[in-house]
Every structure is written in structure tokens, then in C-alpha cells.
Amino acid sequence: MIGINTFASITIGSSEISMKIFEISSKRNIKQLDNVRYPCELGMETYSKGRLSHEIVNNVCDTLVDFTKIMKEYDVKDYIAVATSAVREASNCLLVLDRIKLVTGLTVSIVSNSQQRFLCYNAIALKQNEFNNFVGKGALVLDIGAGSIQLSVYESSTLRSTQNIKLGFLRIKELLQNSANYISDYSNVLKELIDSNLNTYSELYLKAWDVNNIIVISDNSYELNKIISDKTGNVVSVKEFNKLYNLLAGLSVNQVSTKLQISSAYASLAQPVAMIINKLIDITGATNLWFPGVNVNDGIVVEYISRKGKSVFEHDFENDALAAARQLAKKYCCDEKHSNNVESNALAIFDGLSKLHGLNKRDRLLLQIAIILHNSGKFINMNDVSVHSHHIIIRNEIIGISHHEREIIADIIDSNYNLGANTPDAIRIAKLSAIFKLADVLDKSHLQKIKNIQVSYKDGIIMLLFKCDKDITLEKIFFDIQAEYFSVVYGIVPGIKQIHI
Amino acid sequence: MAADKINLKNPIYYTNRELSWLDFNYRILHEAKDKANPLFERLKFLSITASNLDEFFMIRVASLKDMYNANYTKKDFAGMTVSDQLTGINIKTHELVKNQYSTYNRVFKPKLGELGLKIIDHYEDLNEEQSRFVDTYFENEVYPVLTPMAVDSSRPFPLIRNKTLNICALLGDKKKKDRYDFATVQIPAVLNRIVPIPSESEQTTTVILLEQIIEKNINKLFLNYEVICAFPYRIMRNADLSIEEDEASDLLIEIKKQLKKRQWGEVIRLEIENKTDKRLIKILKEELNVKEEDIFNINGPLDLTFLMKVYSLDGFDSYKDKKYTPRTPKRYVNDESVFDQIKDHDILLHHPYDSFSPVVDFIRQAAKDPNVLAIKQTLYRVSSNSPIIASLAEAAENGKQVSVLVELKARFDEENNINWAIKLEKAGCHVIYGLLGLKTHSKITLVVRKEEDGIRRYVHLGTGNYNDSTAKLYTDLGLMTCDNKIGEDATAVFNMLSGYSEPLNWNKLSLAPLWLRKKFLYLINREKEFAMNGKPAHIIAKMNSLCDADIIKALYEASCAGVKIELIVRGICCLKVGIKNVSENITVKSITGKFLEHSRIFYFNNGGNEEVYMASADWMPRNLDKRVEILFPVENEELKDEVMGILDILLKDSLRSHYMNENGEYVKHATNAKGAIDCQEYFCKLATKNSKKRENENDTKLFEPMKSIQIKQ
């Protein structure tokens, strides 16, 4: 039995508690053994009352106790359990987690929206052949959550944009339900709400790209599949979808429930979800819908394996993150030539000093993104740029980058912002920030005078060498200032050496 | 197409299910009459007709009476109202009963007499010695357990219990000549109904019926009275809430109200001996509130199920079928790891020809195997003292995860089921007591085992219950496999039964109540499409009952399109055959034998890519809509051939088969034809031959001389 492990991933979602059991072989083949789902309307409570009641928490605990029994049925060695927005946004979140720990022995961690989205994207890696095929032809990934939807555009296999819109199915339901008494034409109001949001989105993010396919992912994938298509199968043509859409449009919730053989809780979501998809088909002109049928639990196992130093992907999600960052930079009119120059110099320093800083690949990515966005604050005001950049980064989602990581990125740019804070990340941020600042001043003039630097680190001396016959006095002045900061972090004062051609 | 013009829902194309059921009981009666069967087997058949009829009244007639009382006016698909049906049943049942007793009186009694078995059903026939014996027996054994009850102004009419045999008596007051009272006494169920008594000669056996012993001594029960006369009687009550799942559910509430109104169940049948005193009949009729047409005058002993006990009497083996011992199935070796065997190849079990022990072994080995992590099983009707229950309990004690779904709603078995369910719970099993509103009728077992190359799931799927006793009497099929796809589905089945959401999709299994009806209709329509495109199209289906209107209509449509449809339906069949432009291509046969035909097999030609399925479900609304049932494919080519071979023999059988004709009657074909097959006999012989052959093979293997030596070059 060497090399084969069973692993459980558990998600406490907004409308269901679910668990998947996987078998992971030493060759990192992943085989799903079980998929257990228990409908539980946590989201309804959190979104309407702000907290989770005692009853529903008991219900969650009972279900999780049963889950632990199922884990024994497969001799599960390891698990990761996460809770999404319904628990995260509940005012008694920490108490709930504590209660779960006491009753079930399970440690549940909270995931942020972007982490959750990223897990879903991770999950697609399990179906990467199809994924690569679809995104190659231009695709819009629609991730339907309870609170919001996430829309990401891929073109030529590269992520072009990603945007979160607060149009989650439970949120819509809640929003309109509260005023249900005033609404005589529910579906029309619903349509206006969806149209207004998505029209704006289309103007801003969608226009430039050619989208042929819409990839739909959601935690309620089973019900979703039924809403999209009356056939089993993962690919649905728009024609087939329209047929079902028109059919569903005239039905009451109860009728939908009977027709699709799904519970009425899910049936009430059918109309908003179908309407969103319909609108997206409208504005993109897509011809096919693909429905990978994966959820957060699949993402967790992929993450679990990559955490163990193995990769399941062929698709480069880091590239997606970079592409998303560059897209943002464009939106905020960053000086691209400057950024590129700083980026390449900083990476040269990072790579040249790997023995000195001991940081990893992920840190390199964060540094890169920080540099791409470091000037975005100028969009707001030419003064205090780094403060504004910090805000912009915190307020924008970058696919594949967790909320926490975004905070790190922002702090790299504006290291004063958090200086002295005794966080475990403080040293990491300081190290990256020092490299960034050094590289930044090498293009103080924004004229890209210094390119292709070579970094030598020998006998405790750091020297940056480059060929250049321009005057670099300005850069030198600022370099000396930043070199001091660098030496505070690393204990070595770096020098530069200009080689005239 | 002609079918377009014809309304296939026309009631004239359908048979009422109750009347069709009575036809089935007639077929068993026919077996009782059939001289080709050994005499004692015929007794058994007659006894079965009696117990069947009891159950039919308790479940079906009771249900109809409830509907009648609730003024239910809808007609069934054969166009009959409830009262039409009750009338029809009444007429047909009276005929049937008459037939039962003429068989008993005119055939069995003299024949048994010839063999030296005398059944005394009138104590007047006893000789002196026997008389003395009987009186002593009464005083020592019977008297202590009797509770006689007299009725007068101070003592109201007692509650007469459902299905019990009683004696009523007319008591005269010794002082006032013209007055009389009513008294009744229940024949104790704890005593054997047939009591052996001394015979006139040593070569003969004599037995007397218990009620005759009591009748003879009845005056000893009412010492202060003069017993004018005494006669046995028996009632059938609409006692429990026996609304069948097939009936309209909106009715249920109405009927529940009705039930509350009355103290105890309405009497729906009263059986009395045909010479019973008129005064007694009048009292019974009034006190029990029975309608005239529900009184059955019986010409002979009441409750013929005692014949089953006669069957068990020693010394008449030459008049019984030879007892068949189930054999070790093909592709299965006793005393070897079941898991290794299943891993090597799928195993098909054909009970009762094949022994049930592989299934028992499967669970027993799983309970002990250190690599087994979990066992999950659905249990419907289990034998008392079931080895399966013991193994499940042991598995839980060995630290395995054991989940058992116990169906408490299994008819008549509630008490038995509850007892061992509690036993399992105590042992640490996770017990689920059925699903709300659904009966779990599927038969599935899943064993999860951790092996070197990962988790492997072993599954047993069957058409019959996990009951080692009935597995010797019912014909059923089972499949043991570790096919990954089926394993995944099995896991999903148990997840659903545990209350989790249904899976995204099914690989191989089709489940009722959500998907099975659609699947069957799809399969039938697919054959229709083939036929319409001029390709060969063929359906063979074997089941217990066929009474689902949608399925019948689909079969009619398929028949019209030219699909050849051969149905083997043991019991109720509401479909009619041979109707022009409706069902010309459909044949129906019913097999009745010493084993109860219980397997459900479905064959579809599928344009040459033949598909074979087995299921726990019949084509009845209750199976398709109100129960959890499983249809599973047989995909292994070798096993598929074998199942098709079984179907072939069942179709070829003529000795055990009744064929439905255009008039809806069932007839047997001439049975003296050369090479005529008795399918059950055939399968017995086949299984015996196969197992002997293997024994011989094993023998030769033991002492196999080496005839040549291969020399390495």
C-alpha cells in the first residue's frame, strides 16, 4: 500500500456541505472515490440574519460527524476542510469554527472569495485537456457563487481579465425576496438587474476579446447541469440551452422543481442562473457551454498535492496571475516600459541573490506583480503614489492570488505602510521590498538606461554590472539612498558598476 | 401506421389487476390439480392458493373496501370502478373457493386414503380407541390453553382476531328451554393444527384436525349450559392500515379518517362450514357486521393452509419431489477468498439452483478480512437467525464501518425486522430505518477494501432478498463484481440512502423512483425505433407482475411497430395479447413451479448489440414510483450469454408454463410432446451436472499422472 493515500476535502458552502474522497497515487494520479453532498442553507441565514443559528450549526456538526465516519470507510489519512462565505461572513464565525472543532474534531479553515475562486480554477486542472482546448479558442469562465459571480476572459490560452460581480444566486434571491410584495413582474425586474450589471461589464472587459465558449463552474454543479441541459454530458450547445431556457422561463418554482427533479431550494435558483447565462451568451456570441462539473473540493486536492511539491497542472496559472496584473496595469495607465525595465532588473537581482534571501518561486511571483502594479497609484494622484497603489491593489482581485498575498504585494510597494508591524510576513516583505526599491531606482529617469544587469555576489560583496554609456547620475544618487535600506535588510551594501561600451 | 388511429389507452386493452391476480391463483390451483405433479406437491400448491387468498384479502380487498367507503369513484385503466372490482372479485373468489374444496374433497381425500393417510375432519368418524385418545389429548394438552367466551347481556361480543380459527357454539339454558346464548372459543395457534392419532392398522397414518378435537369436547367448556351445536368459523379483517402504495395518495388522508372512526377493522370475509346452524350465522352476521356476499360457505375444513403441515408428515417421500440441494455455482470455489475470485472474474448466481452460500461467505469473509474498511447493505426481509446479520454485527465489532438500511415497511415482517435491527445497532452498526415515504426494495451490498493498488469496491446486486431460507425456494439471480463503475454507483446509492444528494450522474445502474421508469421506457422505445427502421427488434422480459399503464402502452406501441415481445410474467399481468393492431407481436407466459419464480430479467436486442439487465423491480407502479429499486446491466459477455441461455430455457419450457390466449385466459399446451422442458427441473439437473463435473475434474487433478516430461533445451 506504499505510495497510495486517501485524502478528503470538505467544503462548508453556502447551500451545501460536501466532501470528496480522493485516492492519490505516488505518480500523483488522482482518482475520485466518493462525492457526498448534503444540502444545507447556511447562506440564507448569514445573508439575511448576519449570523448562523444554533440549530443550523448543530446540523453542520451532525453532518461533519457523519463525514468523519465516511472518511474511516476509506481509511483517509489526511484532509483539508474549508468554509466559504456563509461561515466567513457570519458574525459568529469563530465560535462556529470552534464548535465544529469541539464536536467533530475537524479543523476547518476559512477561505476568502479569491482563494475560493482560485480553488475552483485549480479544480479545472483535473480536466486540463478539455480546459486547454476551450480556452485556446477564447472562453469566458463563469463561476457562479452564492454571493457573487466571477467572470474571467481567456483568449489564446491566456487570462485577459477577471472580475467579480455581486450577482450570486442567493444574493439575488435575498435582494428581491425582501421586496417581493412590491414586485409584480418578478422576472422582468430580475432581467433588468442582471442586464444592467452585465452590460457595464461587457463594455469594460469583454469588448476586446473573442469569446467562443462559456465555461460554467459552481459548487452546485449537479443542479446547474440540469438547469443548463436536459441531457447528461458536459458540453451543451447554445441552441440546446436556449430550448431549455425558453421552457423554464414560463414555469413556477414548483414546476421547475418537478420538471428538473431537483429540490425546490435549487429550483428557485434556476431562473436567475439561466438568465445570467443567457445574457452572457447574448453579449459574447458564444456557441458552446462547457460544464466541467468540478467544485472547490477538487481544487483543494489539487492544492494539497501542489503543496506537497508536486504539480498537477499543465496550464500555467502563474501566467494567468501575471496577465491579470498586466491587464490591471493597463487599466490604470501604468508606464509599461518603466515597469518592464524594473521587472527584469529586479528579477535579475532576485535570481542572483537567491542564496542570500532564501525566498521561493511564489515570492518571486509576488515581487513581479508588485512591480507591474507599483505605479498604478499615479492614476489617482502624482503624490503619495505608493499609498494609492497600495489601495488599488487591495481593492482589485487578481486571479490566483489570495487576499493575503495581495496584502503582501501592496506592502512590498508601500513598505512604510506596515513597517514595524510584527507580522510573520514582515521579513519576507522587507526582503522583497528592498529588491524592488533597488530595481526601481535603477530606472529613476524612466528612460530605461540600465538594462540586462548582471549580479555578482562573491565574498560578501554584491555588485550590479551593466553596460551603458549614458549618464546615470540621477540613478546613482537614488541608488545610494536605497542601498542603505537594502543593507538594513540584508546587512550588505550593494554597489553598481557601469561598463562603458 | 394503424397504431396512430387506435387509442392504446382504451380500457378494453387492459385487464384489471385484481382479477388478473385471481387468475394467477387459479394457475396455482391448476398445479394442484395437475396429475403430473406428485400428490404431496399438489397438497402444497393447494395450501399456497389458500394462503395467497388470505393475503390478497388482507391487502388488496381491504384496500378496495377502504376506497369504496371513501366514495372513490375513479375507474382503473381497465375501466372498472371500485364497486365493479369488488363485485368481480367476489364472484371469482366464490368460484375459486368452490374449486379448492372440490379438489380437496374429491381428489385429495380419496387419494390420500389410498396411500394410507386418513385426515379426520369430522370427529363423528372416530372409532372408540381414537375417541378415547382424543378426549385425553383434549384434557391434557388443549383444555389448559383455551379461553371460552360466552355472550349475554352482561358480556358483550368479544373481539375476534384476524385470520384466527374459532369455534362458535349455541348454548341452551338448562332451565329455560326456548332461550339460547352465543359462545366462541379461539383455536389456539400454539398447538399443531393436525394431531396424529392411533390408526386402525399399522400401515396407515391417521390425523385429526385440532378444531374437531375441541368441537367434540365443547360441552366440557360450558358445563352449566347445554351445547346445542358448535361450528368452526374464521374472519378476515381490514385491520391494519393496509393502503397499498399503488393507490392514489390523496386518498390516504381520507382513509385515515375513516379508520379512526371505527374501533377495529371491518370484517371483510367470514368463512363458515356449510352446515352451520342458521341461528349462529345470524348472530355472527349481525355482530360482525358482514355482508351476505362476504360470507363463504365452506364445504370442508376451514383454512386449507394446514395442508402444508400434512406435506411435512414423515413417510411419504415417494409422493414428493426429491429434495434439491443447491450446488456450488460455476466460476466459484468454496473455501477460497471471495475477493480474489471476484477480482479475477464476475460471478453470476442463479438461485436456488446455485447455493446462496457465496453471498453469505462474501459478508462473512468481509467481516473478518483486515483489509476491509466498510460494508454496506440493504436488508428487506431476512430469515430469523440470519448468518448475514451475525456477520454484519461481527464486522462492526471488528472496527469496520457497517451501514445497514433496514426496511421496516416490509409486509408482515415488521416485528422480525425491528428485533435484529436493534441487535445490529448494539453491535455498533449504523442502521437506517428506511426512507420516508419510500420502501427500499433494492438488494445491494457494497464492500470497500483497501488493497495494494488502492481502494477497491466489491458489489453484490440481486433480484431477491438477502434471505438464506427463501433463497432455497425462490428463483433469483445475483451478480458479484468489482467493476469500478458499478462500485462508484453503489457508493452513490448508499450516499442517497443516507440522505445525501443524488450523484451528478450514474455510470451503470438505474434507480427508481427517480430514473428507472424513464430508463425502461427509453429501452422499449429504442426497440420500437429499430423496428420502424426495419431492423430486427426484440424484447424479452421476465418479472413477477406487469401492471404499469405507461409501460404497457409503450409495449403496445412497440408491438405495433413490429417489435417481437416475449413476456414471462408469473403473477399479475394487465396486458392483453394478440389484439389486432395493438399487441399482435406480444406473447405472455406464466411459470409456476415448486420454486417461486422471482427473478427479474430484461433483454433488449438493441440493433444487434444485445443488452441484458437484471433488477429488483417489477413493471408495477409501486416499484417504479414508490420504491428504491435498482436495475443493473450484465455486461461480461460470458455471463450475458448465460443469462440469455436462462431466458431461452424459460421460453422453451412448456411443462411449467401457462400461456395467455387472446381471451385473456391462461392455458397449458399439450405436455406430452417429446423433449418438452420443465425449466426448473432442467436448471436443477444442469447445476448438479456442472458441480459433479467440477468435482471429477478436481479428482483427476489430484492424481494426474505426468505423461510427458518437458526437457529444457
Side-chain angles (χ1 to χ4, degrees):
Chain A
M1 279 165 224
I2 310 148
I4 293 185
N5 257 322
T6 41
F7 172 81
S9 53
I10 299 173
T11 305
I12 304 171
S14 295
S15 55
E16 68 178 24
I17 308 168
S18 60
M19 171 170 74
K20 282 193 178 182
I21 310 261
F22 297 95
E23 191 171 83
I24 304 164
S25 73
S26 52
K27 286 176 189 161
R28 59 168 210 260
N29 283 325
I30 301 175
K31 187 175 141 199
Q32 183 183 314
L33 292 176
D34 206 343
N35 180 9
V36 192
R37 307 179 316 131
Y38 182 78
C40 189
E41 297 270 337
L42 293 156
M44 289 293 268
E45 287 212 2
T46 299
Y47 302 145
S48 63
K49 294 178 208 145
R51 65 195 309 280
L52 292 168
S53 69
H54 188 62
E55 288 75 28
I56 205 155
V57 174
N58 278 347
N59 202 344
V60 172
C61 288
D62 287 349
T63 307
L64 289 176
V65 167
D66 281 349
F67 279 11
T68 59
K69 287 182 189 156
I70 296 175
M71 284 158 73
K72 281 189 202 143
E73 285 171 17
Y74 295 100
D75 197 20
V76 166
K77 298 280 191 232
D78 210 351
Y79 74 92
I80 292 176
V82 301
T84 61
S85 67
V87 178
R88 184 176 67 229
E89 291 176 20
S91 59
N92 54 344
C93 165
L94 292 175
L95 286 171
V96 171
L97 295 186
D98 185 56
R99 176 112 197 102
I100 291 173
K101 174 80 191 169
L102 281 173
V103 177
T104 70
L106 293 173
T107 307
V108 178
S109 48
I110 295 288
V111 290
S112 69
N113 177 55
S114 52
Q115 270 173 297
Q116 185 186 341
R117 304 299 182 190
F118 181 59
L119 286 172
C120 272
Y121 281 66
N122 258 347
I124 300 177
L126 288 175
K127 304 209 168 184
Q128 49 192 332
N129 288 341
E130 286 139 298
F131 179 70
N132 290 338
N133 186 19
F134 279 106
V135 297
K137 291 173 196 153
L140 176 68
V141 179
L142 165 65
D143 178 355
I144 304 179
S148 58
I149 60 172
Q150 186 84 24
L151 290 162
S152 310
V153 180
Y154 280 86
E155 208 241 15
S156 314
S157 298
T158 310
L159 180 75
R160 301 299 181 172
S161 82
T162 182
Q163 183 60 42
N164 185 271
I165 303 174
K166 298 227 179 245
L167 265 181
F169 50 81
L170 272 180
R171 202 181 293 271
I172 293 180
K173 201 173 137 190
E174 277 294 294
L175 194 72
L176 296 184
Q177 215 163 46
N178 290 339
S179 12
N181 294 341
Y182 311 103
I183 302 176
S184 53
D185 188 354
Y186 179 81
S187 59
N188 214 11
V189 174
L190 186 65
K191 190 168 182 300
E192 279 181 14
L193 177 74
I194 291 171
D195 282 2
S196 68
N197 272 291
L198 293 182
N199 282 337
T200 318
Y201 168 78
S202 165
E203 280 298 315
L204 286 174
Y205 299 96
L206 213 52
K207 259 187 162 174
W209 314 113
D210 197 12
V211 169
N212 289 310
N213 305 298
I214 298 178
I215 300 173
V216 192
I217 49 183
S218 165
D219 266 7
N220 306 101
S221 39
Y222 172 67
E223 289 73 20
L224 199 70
N225 196 5
K226 288 199 157 179
I227 292 165
I228 297 172
S229 157
D230 47 5
K231 278 189 222 144
T232 46
N234 292 328
V235 183
V236 180
S237 74
V238 163
K239 219 171 129 194
E240 281 171 276
F241 169 77
N242 281 339
K243 225 170 91 189
L244 194 68
Y245 176 73
N246 291 331
L247 191 80
L248 291 184
L251 301 181
S252 73
V253 169
N254 280 338
Q255 286 168 319
V256 172
S257 164
T258 325
K259 173 98 192 138
L260 301 181
Q261 294 192 330
I262 55 180
S263 79
S264 59
Y266 292 127
S268 65
L269 315 175
Q271 205 177 14
V273 168
M275 239 176 218
I276 291 171
I277 296 171
N278 190 50
K279 179 69 189 173
L280 288 173
I281 290 172
D282 237 27
I283 53 186
T284 56
T287 49
N288 279 311
L289 298 165
W290 179 49
F291 173 81
V294 292
N295 63 17
V296 174
N297 286 326
D298 297 291
I300 293 174
V301 69
V302 173
E303 165 108 344
Y304 171 76
I305 293 170
S306 12
R307 226 192 267 173
K308 299 217 149 179
K310 292 161 185 164
S311 172
V312 190
F313 306 115
E314 271 170 29
H315 185 85
D316 188 349
F317 280 90
E318 295 201 345
N319 241 344
D320 281 354
L322 289 173
R326 287 188 216 285
Q327 204 60 41
L328 266 185
K330 205 179 254 175
K331 178 170 146 190
Y332 293 106
C333 308
C334 295
D335 181 347
E336 203 179 322
K337 283 182 183 164
H338 166 66
S339 295
N340 288 346
N341 179 266
V342 176
E343 187 184 335
S344 67
N345 286 343
L347 292 179
I349 299 170
F350 184 94
D351 296 342
L353 300 181
S354 59
K355 279 180 191 157
L356 184 65
H357 57 61
L359 297 168
N360 63 24
K361 221 182 133 210
R362 190 74 186 171
D363 297 317
R364 190 178 188 269
L365 177 73
L366 300 185
L367 174 66
Q368 225 176 333
I369 294 172
I371 293 166
I372 292 168
L373 293 170
H374 78 279
N375 258 334
S376 55
K378 280 185 181 163
F379 189 76
I380 297 170
N381 196 312
M382 291 296 285
N383 297 317
D384 297 329
V385 173
S386 60
V387 175
H388 299 309
S389 298
H390 191 281
H391 280 302
I392 284 176
I393 291 165
I394 292 295
R395 287 292 165 193
N396 276 288
E397 296 226 359
I398 303 165
I399 198 81
I401 302 296
S402 73
H403 182 76
H404 178 65
E405 285 176 323
R406 257 188 294 131
E407 282 173 349
I408 293 176
I409 292 168
D411 287 350
I412 293 170
I413 298 167
D414 185 22
S415 60
N416 296 322
Y417 193 86
N418 235 347
L419 209 63
N422 201 8
T423 64
D425 289 317
I427 293 171
R428 195 169 159 209
I429 293 166
K431 283 177 177 174
L432 291 169
S433 184
I435 296 172
F436 154 64
K437 287 183 174 168
L438 215 53
D440 189 26
V441 294
L442 289 179
D443 192 30
K444 193 68 194 167
S445 62
H446 283 220
L447 293 171
Q448 293 85 42
K449 291 181 248 175
I450 302 170
K451 289 176 198 160
N452 304 325
I453 59 170
Q454 282 183 324
V455 183
S456 98
Y457 171 47
K458 257 186 224 162
D459 310 325
I461 297 163
I462 299 169
M463 193 57 69
L464 310 179
L465 303 127
F466 49 90
K467 291 178 185 163
C468 172
D469 43 11
K470 288 177 184 143
D471 175 30
I472 56 162
T473 316
L474 179 71
E475 280 76 13
K476 265 187 172 166
I477 296 168
F478 280 90
F479 183 84
D480 288 342
I481 300 167
Q482 288 305 335
E484 214 173 296
Y485 176 75
F486 188 92
S487 74
V488 172
V489 177
Y490 291 100
I492 302 170
V493 186
I496 49 173
K497 197 169 188 180
Q498 182 179 21
I499 302 160
H500 293 273
I501 310 161
Chain B
M1 271 241 149
D4 296 335
K5 291 173 218 148
I6 289 177
N7 173 17
L8 291 175
K9 284 193 162 174
N10 190 333
I12 60 166
Y13 301 140
Y14 296 81
T15 308
N16 170 265
R17 63 167 282 180
E18 320 300 346
L19 300 180
S20 174
W21 183 88
L22 282 164
D23 283 339
F24 161 61
N25 218 22
Y26 262 105
R27 290 197 291 280
I28 299 176
L29 185 60
H30 190 271
E31 292 295 334
K33 290 179 176 176
D34 192 345
K35 285 177 199 148
N37 292 323
L39 184 65
F40 271 63
E41 298 300 325
R42 292 166 65 186
L43 293 181
K44 214 167 160 182
F45 281 121
L46 187 59
S47 164
I48 291 170
T49 63
S51 57
N52 273 354
L53 195 62
D54 283 353
E55 186 176 326
F56 177 69
F57 264 78
M58 259 163 63
I59 303 293
R60 301 300 310 174
V61 177
S63 210
L64 282 171
K65 289 254 179 187
D66 280 335
M67 291 167 94
Y68 181 78
N69 292 339
N71 291 321
Y72 190 72
T73 51
K74 263 192 209 162
K75 290 178 178 177
D76 76 337
F77 53 51
M80 293 177 83
T81 63
V82 173
S83 87
D84 290 346
Q85 295 180 54
L86 283 170
T87 313
I89 291 168
N90 204 283
I91 295 168
K92 219 165 173 162
T93 311
H94 276 283
E95 260 172 45
L96 180 80
V97 171
K98 217 184 256 174
N99 237 308
Q100 283 176 326
Y101 281 91
S102 75
T103 310
Y104 173 74
N105 290 323
R106 287 194 210 155
V107 184
F108 288 175
K109 272 184 79 174
K111 287 241 175 203
L112 289 173
E114 283 168 29
L115 303 180
L117 175 62
K118 197 171 176 195
I119 300 172
I120 293 184
D121 48 20
H122 286 104
Y123 64 84
E124 292 86 351
D125 300 342
L126 295 169
N127 64 24
E128 223 167 283
E129 189 206 351
Q130 289 168 333
S131 217
R132 248 179 286 131
F133 179 89
V134 161
D135 291 348
T136 319
Y137 183 82
F138 175 80
E139 271 156 38
N140 293 341
E141 308 284 333
V142 186
Y143 184 74
V145 290
L146 289 180
T147 314
M149 288 178 287
V151 179
D152 58 30
S153 50
S154 63
R155 288 172 290 198
F157 198 85
L159 171 66
I160 308 299
R161 308 194 67 161
N162 190 19
K163 269 176 83 178
T164 54
L165 198 53
N166 298 272
I167 292 175
C168 57
L170 214 49
L171 306 179
D173 197 321
K174 280 183 178 166
K175 289 162 200 161
K176 291 178 193 164
K177 286 275 172 206
D178 55 335
R179 268 207 52 190
Y180 54 85
D181 282 327
F182 176 86
T184 179
V185 59
Q186 189 189 323
I187 313 266
V190 288
L191 297 177
N192 208 328
R193 176 103 185 269
I194 55 169
V195 182
I197 56 170
S199 288
E200 285 173 332
S201 76
E202 276 187 18
Q203 286 78 39
T204 56
T205 309
T206 311
V207 295
I208 185 168
L209 294 170
L210 181 60
E211 66 265 29
Q212 289 301 318
I213 301 179
I214 300 172
E215 242 185 87
K216 182 169 188 292
N217 290 284
I218 193 109
N219 47 356
K220 290 178 189 157
L221 296 175
F222 305 101
L223 289 175
N224 294 328
Y225 296 88
E226 177 201 344
V227 179
I228 301 169
C229 60
F231 294 93
Y233 71 101
R234 184 169 178 262
I235 59 164
M236 191 64 65
R237 276 184 194 280
N238 182 358
D240 49 351
L241 184 62
S242 57
I243 306 309
E244 276 263 74
E245 304 130 273
D246 299 1
E247 258 80 60
S249 60
D250 52 326
L251 244 185
L252 208 64
I253 304 157
E254 182 53 36
I255 292 170
K256 270 185 188 159
K257 275 191 225 153
Q258 297 275 340
L259 269 182
K260 266 188 191 162
K261 277 186 201 160
R262 59 171 188 250
Q263 198 99 43
W264 34 65
E266 176 194 8
V267 175
I268 53 175
R269 185 174 65 160
L270 168 65
E271 290 170 284
I272 49 170
E273 246 185 47
N274 59 358
K275 284 173 198 129
T276 305
D277 190 284
K278 288 218 170 81
R279 287 170 289 181
L280 279 172
I281 299 179
K282 189 163 170 269
I283 295 169
L284 284 172
K285 201 176 150 193
E286 274 167 17
E287 293 291 342
L288 296 170
N289 200 9
V290 209
K291 294 194 188 91
E292 183 66 41
E293 66 266 27
D294 293 331
I295 301 177
F296 287 76
N297 281 300
I298 305 290
N299 176 24
L302 305 187
D303 190 4
L304 286 173
T305 54
F306 78 90
L307 291 174
M308 204 55 115
K309 301 231 162 75
V310 175
Y311 177 88
S312 320
L313 286 174
D314 288 337
F316 299 94
D317 286 353
S318 49
Y319 307 104
K320 297 175 189 172
D321 274 333
K322 253 193 218 137
K323 203 171 172 239
Y324 174 78
T325 317
R327 307 289 169 160
T328 307
K330 239 164 132 182
R331 301 183 199 82
Y332 184 82
V333 183
N334 288 321
D335 310 322
E336 272 183 28
S337 160
V338 182
F339 303 111
D340 289 349
Q341 296 190 59
I342 299 175
K343 201 155 60 170
D344 188 62
H345 52 264
D346 287 2
I347 296 168
L348 182 78
L349 304 169
H350 190 196
H351 310 297
Y353 317 108
D354 290 342
S355 150
F356 192 65
S357 63
V359 180
V360 178
D361 287 349
F362 179 46
I363 296 155
R364 185 163 43 213
Q365 290 185 18
K368 294 191 165 81
D369 186 319
N371 293 328
V372 166
L373 298 168
I375 307 174
K376 300 185 177 204
Q377 193 170 29
T378 59
L379 294 176
Y380 191 69
R381 286 181 190 178
V382 185
S383 64
S384 43
N385 251 334
S386 162
I388 288 178
I389 303 284
S391 291
L392 288 173
E394 188 192 341
E397 278 155 9
N398 287 346
K400 311 200 181 302
Q401 297 296 310
V402 181
S403 306
V404 183
L405 187 133
V406 177
E407 186 44 79
L408 290 184
K409 279 164 277 185
R411 207 186 274 175
F412 307 135
D413 270 10
E414 287 93 340
E415 225 178 279
N416 187 21
N417 284 356
I418 290 171
N419 287 339
W420 53 255
I422 291 169
K423 196 166 131 194
L424 284 177
E425 242 180 19
K426 277 189 184 153
C429 300
H430 177 54
V431 181
I432 304 162
Y433 293 95
L435 302 178
L436 202 68
L438 290 175
K439 251 191 209 180
T440 308
H441 195 245
S442 53
K443 298 99 178 47
I444 180 168
T445 305
L446 166 69
V447 171
V448 181
R449 194 164 182 258
K450 187 158 188 169
E451 300 185 354
E452 295 208 352
D453 48 352
I455 297 282
R456 180 167 273 119
R457 282 176 273 222
Y458 294 86
V459 182
H460 173 267
L461 285 156
T463 65
N465 298 314
Y466 288 108
N467 186 324
D468 47 302
S469 314
T470 55
K472 289 175 194 145
L473 303 169
Y474 291 13
T475 74
D476 270 307
L477 283 163
L479 177 72
M480 295 170 116
T481 180
C482 60
D483 179 290
N484 192 29
K485 294 254 163 79
I486 288 184
E488 281 177 9
D489 283 357
T491 294
V493 168
F494 284 102
N495 283 344
M496 266 184 71
L497 294 178
S498 307
Y500 299 116
S501 307
E502 56 269 43
L504 308 184
N505 48 38
W506 295 96
N507 299 318
K508 304 271 175 181
L509 306 186
S510 305
L511 265 79
L514 288 174
W515 302 276
L516 186 55
R517 174 183 291 279
K518 264 191 194 163
K519 172 82 178 187
F520 274 133
L521 291 174
Y522 163 76
L523 291 170
I524 295 168
N525 287 330
R526 192 177 62 186
E527 290 305 309
K528 185 178 86 178
E529 303 276 323
F530 279 119
M532 282 159 75
N533 293 326
K535 287 184 181 142
H538 189 184
I539 297 172
I540 307 170
K542 174 179 187 290
M543 68 205 80
N544 296 342
S545 298
L546 166 54
C547 60
D548 186 87
D550 287 354
I551 300 265
I552 296 175
K553 185 168 163 271
L555 289 170
Y556 285 159
E557 282 165 0
S559 167
C560 292
V563 181
K564 182 181 176 190
I565 301 172
E566 296 176 283
L567 303 174
I568 308 164
V569 186
R570 186 198 77 223
I572 301 166
C573 178
C574 299
L575 170 144
K576 292 184 173 180
V577 296
I579 307 172
K580 193 159 192 287
N581 294 331
V582 175
S583 59
E584 286 157 307
N585 295 316
I586 308 180
T587 61
V588 174
K589 63 152 42 182
S590 164
I591 297 175
T592 44
K594 60 178 169 182
F595 301 130
L596 183 82
E597 287 296 332
H598 193 254
S599 54
R600 288 95 170 181
I601 314 171
F602 304 91
Y603 163 90
F604 300 89
N605 182 274
N606 187 27
N609 296 316
E610 298 166 306
E611 286 181 359
V612 174
Y613 299 87
M614 307 198 289
S616 57
D618 290 319
W619 280 347
M620 291 175 98
R622 71 165 184 230
N623 294 105
L624 301 176
D625 300 331
K626 299 279 172 63
R627 288 181 171 185
V628 180
E629 306 268 10
I630 299 178
L631 174 81
F632 56 99
V634 183
E635 290 186 331
N636 175 305
E637 285 301 325
E638 209 181 315
L639 300 191
K640 201 162 96 180
D641 284 346
E642 206 172 315
V643 177
M644 277 156 57
I646 291 172
L647 281 175
D648 186 47
I649 294 299
L650 293 170
L651 288 173
K652 279 187 182 143
D653 173 284
S654 59
L655 296 177
R656 295 265 137 239
S657 299
H658 286 83
Y659 299 84
M660 191 198 280
N661 68 17
E662 282 83 355
N663 306 322
E665 298 155 348
Y666 285 84
V667 288
K668 266 204 172 177
H669 287 178
T671 49
N672 50 2
K674 213 178 166 191
I677 292 177
D678 173 335
C679 59
Q680 297 191 345
E681 210 49 53
Y682 179 92
F683 291 130
C684 285
K685 279 185 187 147
L686 183 73
T688 311
K689 200 175 99 190
N690 281 335
S691 84
K692 285 221 173 101
K693 199 168 125 200
R694 259 172 306 145
E695 274 164 29
N696 293 338
E697 271 169 16
N698 288 346
D699 284 351
T700 52
K701 262 178 204 158
L702 258 178
F703 300 104
E704 196 168 4
M706 296 206 284
K707 286 180 180 160
S708 64
I709 302 169
Q710 287 196 338
I711 300 165
K712 270 187 187 171
Q713 292 182 338

